[in-house]
Amino acid sequence: MNGDATTLLASVDVETALQAVRWIRVALRTLSPALNSEAFEEAWQWLSEDHHDALQALAQGEPITLTLQQGLTTIQWTARPAQFLKLTTRHGINSPACTQEYTGTARQRE
């Protein structure tokens, strides 16, 4: 292994820039006590100040990334605005009523 393996540990769909930044802040606060001193300082800088810039960027339609280095491990959070209309949730909950009309079987045209 060359050390470049990437593992997605979690993802979340949110509806606003504020919710995205809040999710990152909660995850970062949870993780921060286990970080080395350099990563800890970077984390708290983002939590106390830099998250405002991230919120503004997301609200303006720009993606944001927060990256911390913990030894040989890189920890990264990425948030980006969706550029499409949300039709349903990722988990199929709260589907629009019209989804019941389509069962997945093709109808033959007459």
Side-chain angles (χ1 to χ4, degrees):
M1 180 178 268
N2 63 6
D4 293 335
T6 300
T7 302
L8 175 64
L9 296 179
S11 67
V12 63
D13 289 337
V14 296
E15 295 185 11
T16 67
L18 182 60
Q19 289 172 335
V21 169
R22 185 177 296 143
W23 188 84
I24 294 171
R25 292 184 78 207
V26 167
L28 191 53
R29 277 193 203 111
T30 302
L31 179 66
S32 64
L35 296 173
N36 62 34
S37 60
E38 184 178 332
F40 181 85
E41 290 298 323
E42 290 179 45
W44 279 101
Q45 174 64 36
W46 196 89
L47 286 167
S48 60
E49 300 288 331
D50 298 345
H51 73 277
H52 296 292
D53 294 336
L55 180 58
Q56 185 175 12
L58 281 172
Q60 294 174 352
E62 301 169 19
I64 59 115
T65 300
L66 169 62
T67 304
L68 300 176
Q69 191 69 37
Q70 171 73 16
L72 297 176
T73 302
T74 302
I75 306 163
Q76 186 173 72
W77 290 266
T78 303
R80 51 186 148 321
Q83 301 298 321
F84 55 88
L85 175 62
K86 181 177 167 183
L87 297 177
T88 187
T89 64
R90 285 175 13 151
H91 305 291
I93 301 168
N94 300 324
S95 297
C98 65
T99 60
Q100 301 304 318
E101 296 178 23
Y102 303 98
T103 62
T105 56
R107 293 184 187 177
Q108 187 172 353
R109 289 190 159 190
E110 295 180 27

